[in-house]
Amino acid sequence: MSTTLLDDPQAWQQFSHPLDERAPASTGAGAWSSQVMLEGMHCAACALQIESALLAVPGVRDVTVNAATHRAQVVWQPETVQPSTWFQAIEAAGYRAIPAQDNGRRTARLAEQRRVLWRWVVACFCMMQVMMYATPAYVTAPGDMSADMAQLLRWASWVLTLPVVLFSCQPFWVNAWRDLRLRRVSMDLPVALGMAITFGVSTAATFEPQGLWGGEVYFDSLTMFVFFLLSSRWLEGRLRERTAGALEALMNRLPDSVERWSETQEWVRVAVHRLRPGDRVRVLPGESFPADGCLLSGQTLAQEALLTGESRALARGPGERVLAGSLNVAAAVEMQVEAVGEHTRYAQIVSLMDHASLVKPRLALLADRMARPFLLGVMLAALGAGAWWWNSHPAHALMVAVSVLIVTCPCALSLATPAAMLAAAGQLARQGILVRELQSLEALTQIDTVVFDKTGTLTRDGQRLDQQWTAPGVDASQALRLAAALASHSWHPLSRALVQAWQAVAPQVGSCQAPALPDWDLVEEVTGQGLQATQGHGRFRLGSQAFGSEGLTQVSMPPEALHAQVHLFDNHRWLASFALSEDVREDAVSTLQHLKQQGLQVRILSGDRPQAVSALAQRMGLPAESAWGGCSPDDKLRHLQALHQAGRRVLMVGDGLNDGPVMAAAHVSMAVGSAVPLTQARADLVLMGEGLAQVAQTLDLSHRTLRVVRQNLAWAAIYNALCVPLAMLGWLPAWLAGLGMALSSIGVVLHSLRLGRPLAREHIPLKRRRLTESGSQAV
């Protein structure tokens, strides 16, 4: 795609979104955030160079480049700069950017893989032939081979090395020339320098056997090094795709086209991006559902594992909802489209995972900052080693310098953290757990207190209306209708229960349609209290008794209605009360008991009635002082601050919507419940499934992840600390240095892939550190 075509707002909206959702997309006003894939980068130094090049463009506000996933997020101002400008800045820096949603991205990636494979094949074939010609020099005794034969073998090795240097090494020469032209350093510069020195010394020895450099040739070391390096980069690319495989799997879940019922009364196959709400489409077995919608006819099974965490295919029939990206397993069905594009839950999930793949954890930022000074230090060390050995023999001195240049591997250091974090995030995504902030995986290892919300977290999202009380002269159905009209503006589980209760009693309501409810002039949700709406000169409030009766001098209501969870008031009096019942999640008790057994303190914070919260705590096996009910958002925040002052590290588990302040104040937060809009779930992690066992599984995987990160960093540090001195002492030949460099980065990525093993369904014991005496006291 030509970069100038990206300046069309319709084009950039395919891979960008406005940071201010209130700004009209068509105007391009306000800051925009774009996601792009990058080609040509190989290390953390490359990421820093791309960030510097983009930040130098006027109108680019912020840039984040992830060296492990080769993805970048660019925040820019359309009033100042156009996408083509900062795309060209990336190209001027020596790299290539592709829109993250570009359909040709996969084709381009496959073409690049084929080129890498061809370079590897040429290097492999030539290496084997050069090794065959070099073997006699190693195994024959002095005098067994004539000088003419030795010279012939050198010429044959030189000819076979040419394809490796000119074709297989082409990316290294291009990248090194780019670094020299821009006066900077990346991993390819010392590598290319080492290759050039080795080939130059060996060529001089071949053309002038009696000259200064005529002692030995190193064509075998050069071809082996190139072969090992290309092997490692090809494997790294494949492993990187596997590491971020969950994101790729999600992004490729939508079909390219689908059958839509046309005005000519026939099925016509159209592109998915042409669908609009209200369209009637037919989804065949083996196809993915193209949008969120409601089934009109047919019975099938839908596989929603990557969207909800449910591993089993779920039965779906007429009147039931299906999600975009879920797989139609059994039979052809017809559905009515309700939401398309960025408004689907599928798009929200992809957006969250996109964000996770771009965020750099603290340890990764530290490794990135070390990469450039590390490379400069390597080149100075190689220069010093060459100078030290120069007086003994210039050719040997140059090969010692080459060994120092190629044995060091900052790639292992830069990949140690993001490779492990992304492998863990991919595994969690396959289990229905979305990671919004990779840093939270590190923070989870320090948690010693877990605080749960009650409604919608320890209890199920779905509740039912058990009993209703109304004031004299108030019709019960009209009271429920008014309450549902207010509740439809909130995602709280109690609000959704009232809407569902109205849908069940309203005869004109279909199973997939919104209830016929009155319109309001203004609706405002007061977090943790309820909703307030105005209609003409009237005011209605739905929520707690204290919230609804605020400003009323006298409230007359039946004593039994005082224990209801939801009350409806107008600006004069009490209208109705609604008692709803909720079911505790099946694994709630076992999860809380398991966390307690691992040395974690467990608390419950809820805005529900203190009596209901105390009863639930007793059922969960928690002491009464561990559960606080009747909490406003400010009360919850004060309780959390008290835990912080006592030195506790807190994980807050809630619905992610109504617990915003307290979840933001916690060290780590998890949002539970598949019904919460993901764009509003302000949490570090989002559990899309219905079970709480995922909380314990996430904690366990975080400990495993940090352990793997530390092992990766230790391996990379030990490798460089041992091999660099050996190379400087002249004890490490160039071919062995190349093998060590290749294996060091491959080992880091392979070790990180251990985190991709499936999580056990049962609770896994956490290896926890011993709590201090002060830290284990109850707050």
Side-chain angles (χ1 to χ4, degrees):
M1 176 186 291
S2 173
T3 55
T4 56
L5 298 178
L6 298 174
D7 293 343
D8 183 358
Q10 295 297 324
W12 84 50
Q13 289 177 35
Q14 300 299 317
F15 61 97
S16 311
H17 66 273
L19 292 183
D20 185 359
E21 301 294 343
R22 295 168 298 180
S26 58
T27 65
W32 282 67
S33 175
S34 300
Q35 312 279 341
V36 295
M37 299 293 295
L38 298 167
E39 293 182 353
M41 60 179 296
H42 302 289
C43 62
C46 298
L48 293 175
Q49 290 161 7
I50 295 173
E51 290 179 355
S52 300
L54 285 172
L55 289 174
V57 178
V60 175
R61 286 175 35 182
D62 188 37
V63 181
T64 303
V65 179
N66 192 307
T69 59
H70 294 189
R71 299 176 70 87
Q73 179 184 42
V74 184
V75 179
W76 52 284
Q77 295 284 157
E79 301 90 347
T80 309
V81 66
Q82 294 296 304
S84 61
T85 304
W86 53 264
F87 264 72
Q88 291 167 4
I90 296 175
E91 293 180 2
Y95 305 91
R96 181 167 179 257
I98 303 176
Q101 303 298 334
D102 190 352
N103 293 329
R105 181 166 55 89
R106 180 174 176 82
T107 302
R109 187 172 67 245
L110 291 176
E112 177 61 25
Q113 289 178 354
R114 284 194 295 269
R115 286 192 292 270
V116 171
L117 193 58
W118 269 111
R119 293 189 182 102
W120 178 86
V121 169
V122 170
C124 179
F125 175 78
C126 293
M127 177 203 67
M128 291 188 294
Q129 297 301 313
V130 170
M131 286 299 299
M132 183 177 68
Y133 293 143
T135 300
Y138 292 108
V139 299
T140 57
D144 289 350
M145 187 170 55
S146 66
D148 291 341
M149 179 57 69
Q151 187 63 15
L152 179 63
L153 293 177
R154 286 188 177 189
W155 277 102
S157 298
W158 180 80
V159 171
L160 286 168
T161 304
L162 282 177
V164 177
V165 172
L166 299 177
F167 176 67
S168 298
C169 296
Q170 182 183 3
F172 305 110
W173 305 131
V174 172
N175 294 338
W177 172 248
R178 174 200 64 201
D179 292 340
L180 291 173
R181 179 170 49 87
L182 299 175
R183 298 179 181 179
R184 67 191 188 196
V185 59
S186 72
M187 189 60 219
D188 283 341
L189 183 57
V191 167
L193 189 59
M195 292 176 179
I197 293 174
T198 305
F199 184 71
V201 169
S202 301
T203 300
T206 301
F207 279 83
E208 294 186 21
Q210 306 304 322
L212 179 64
W213 315 101
E216 291 185 51
V217 293
Y218 304 94
F219 295 121
D220 54 341
S221 295
L222 174 59
T223 53
M224 287 179 67
F225 169 61
V226 174
F227 169 73
F228 291 144
L229 187 57
L230 289 177
S231 299
S232 71
R233 291 203 171 175
W234 182 75
L235 285 174
E236 279 180 38
R238 296 299 299 269
L239 294 174
R240 185 184 300 112
E241 288 187 5
R242 181 176 171 186
T243 300
L247 176 59
E248 288 294 325
L250 274 174
M251 295 183 69
N252 294 321
R253 293 283 285 187
L254 289 185
D256 295 327
S257 61
V258 69
E259 293 183 352
R260 181 176 65 180
W261 187 250
S262 67
E263 297 178 354
T264 58
Q265 306 299 304
E266 60 181 347
W267 295 105
V268 177
R269 186 161 288 275
V270 298
V272 168
H273 65 81
R274 295 179 59 187
L275 294 181
R276 296 293 181 268
D279 285 349
R280 180 180 178 183
V281 300
R282 180 169 63 184
V283 182
L284 303 178
E287 291 183 341
S288 295
F289 289 99
D292 290 351
C294 173
L295 289 187
L296 299 176
S297 64
Q299 298 279 347
T300 189
L301 296 174
Q303 178 58 262
E304 301 177 353
L306 287 176
L307 301 174
T308 64
E310 176 58 57
S311 59
R312 299 171 301 171
L314 304 176
R316 292 287 184 261
E320 294 184 294
R321 289 181 54 82
V322 290
L323 299 176
S326 59
L327 184 64
N328 180 20
V329 177
V333 292
E334 296 179 15
M335 64 172 287
Q336 181 177 350
V337 175
E338 293 182 346
V340 297
E342 62 183 12
H343 303 292
T344 62
R345 187 171 182 83
Y346 162 84
Q348 297 168 6
I349 292 173
V350 170
S351 176
L352 287 186
M353 296 187 69
D354 246 345
H355 175 76
S357 69
L358 286 165
V359 174
K360 292 183 180 180
R362 179 178 56 83
L363 291 175
L365 289 172
L366 178 62
D368 286 356
R369 286 194 295 268
M370 292 172 55
R372 187 174 295 172
F374 183 85
L375 287 172
L376 292 174
V378 166
M379 299 183 73
L380 291 176
L383 181 63
W388 176 265
W389 285 94
W390 187 265
N391 291 331
S392 63
H393 195 288
H396 179 67
L398 287 178
M399 293 313 298
V400 169
V402 168
S403 296
V404 175
L405 285 173
I406 63 181
V407 76
T408 51
C409 188
C411 293
L413 283 171
S414 63
L415 287 173
T417 298
M421 293 286 190
L422 286 170
Q427 177 58 31
L428 289 173
R430 286 186 283 271
Q431 300 292 328
I433 306 166
L434 295 185
V435 181
R436 295 184 70 247
E437 301 290 341
L438 287 179
Q439 181 62 36
S440 63
L441 293 177
E442 181 183 349
L444 277 174
T445 61
Q446 305 298 320
I447 293 300
D448 54 27
T449 303
V450 184
V451 178
F452 287 89
D453 181 36
K454 182 182 80 72
T455 305
T457 304
L458 293 174
T459 60
R460 290 186 177 279
D461 272 347
Q463 302 196 33
R464 62 178 182 274
L465 178 61
D466 276 352
Q467 196 169 359
Q468 176 179 345
W469 296 269
T470 54
V474 176
D475 182 73
S477 62
Q478 288 301 314
L480 179 59
R481 179 172 176 267
L482 285 173
L486 267 170
S488 64
H489 293 272
S490 170
W491 280 94
H492 193 280
L494 296 177
S495 297
R496 293 199 301 272
L498 289 175
V499 174
Q500 292 168 0
W502 166 250
Q503 290 176 334
V505 301
Q508 73 274 22
V509 176
S511 56
C512 282
Q513 300 173 351
L517 300 171
D519 294 327
W520 304 101
D521 297 333
L522 176 66
V523 178
E524 178 185 6
E525 183 171 9
V526 181
T527 304
Q529 298 294 318
L531 296 116
Q532 176 176 296
T534 57
Q535 188 181 46
H537 298 289
R539 186 205 69 182
F540 294 89
R541 284 190 172 188
L542 181 72
S544 65
Q545 180 187 354
F547 173 70
S549 60
E550 183 180 344
L552 300 182
T553 57
Q554 184 176 3
V555 177
S556 176
M557 55 191 303
E560 58 271 18
L562 294 173
H563 300 294
Q565 296 99 318
V566 184
H567 306 271
L568 177 65
F569 291 81
D570 62 13
N571 49 353
H572 299 294
R573 59 170 180 158
W574 165 78
L575 298 178
S577 296
F578 307 92
L580 300 102
S581 63
E582 53 190 354
D583 297 326
V584 177
R585 297 182 189 269
E586 290 88 346
D587 56 356
V589 176
S590 60
T591 297
L592 267 61
Q593 291 302 317
H594 172 76
L595 295 176
K596 289 175 60 180
Q597 291 170 4
Q598 305 310 316
L600 296 168
Q601 293 199 8
V602 181
R603 299 282 189 268
I604 299 177
L605 275 178
S606 177
D608 202 353
R609 295 168 292 116
Q611 301 92 328
V613 177
S614 298
L616 180 66
Q618 184 177 6
R619 183 175 176 181
M620 297 288 170
L622 299 178
E625 60 270 17
S626 297
W628 298 295
C631 297
S632 66
D634 290 339
D635 295 333
K636 292 182 180 181
L637 195 57
R638 280 192 291 270
H639 282 299
L640 197 68
Q641 290 169 346
L643 292 172
H644 289 171
Q645 292 171 2
R648 313 300 297 185
R649 305 286 295 183
V650 181
L651 164 64
M652 179 68 198
V653 185
D655 60 18
L657 186 62
N658 301 284
D659 302 315
V662 70
M663 296 190 80
H667 295 97
V668 186
S669 56
M670 289 185 182
V672 179
S674 58
V676 176
L678 297 181
T679 54
Q680 300 180 41
R682 305 303 182 189
D684 299 315
L685 301 103
V686 179
L687 311 186
M688 297 186 294
E690 296 296 330
L692 289 178
Q694 293 174 322
V695 175
Q697 292 174 355
T698 305
L699 284 167
D700 174 73
L701 187 61
S702 69
H703 284 268
R704 289 174 52 203
T705 301
L706 189 61
R707 188 161 59 247
V708 168
V709 167
R710 289 171 175 167
Q711 291 168 353
N712 284 345
L713 291 172
W715 155 250
I718 292 172
Y719 163 80
N720 285 285
L722 290 178
C723 291
V724 172
L726 291 177
M728 295 181 71
L729 291 172
W731 295 351
L732 204 64
W735 69 268
L736 188 57
L739 178 61
M741 175 190 176
L743 292 180
S744 62
S745 32
I746 291 177
V748 164
V749 179
L750 283 174
H751 187 52
S752 300
L753 286 178
R754 295 173 51 223
L755 297 169
R757 291 196 297 244
L759 298 175
R761 287 295 177 183
E762 66 276 4
H763 291 307
I764 308 170
L766 303 175
K767 292 184 179 179
R768 297 206 47 80
R769 54 182 170 80
R770 185 183 301 276
L771 297 176
T772 62
E773 181 178 353
S774 61
S776 58
Q777 294 176 351
V779 177

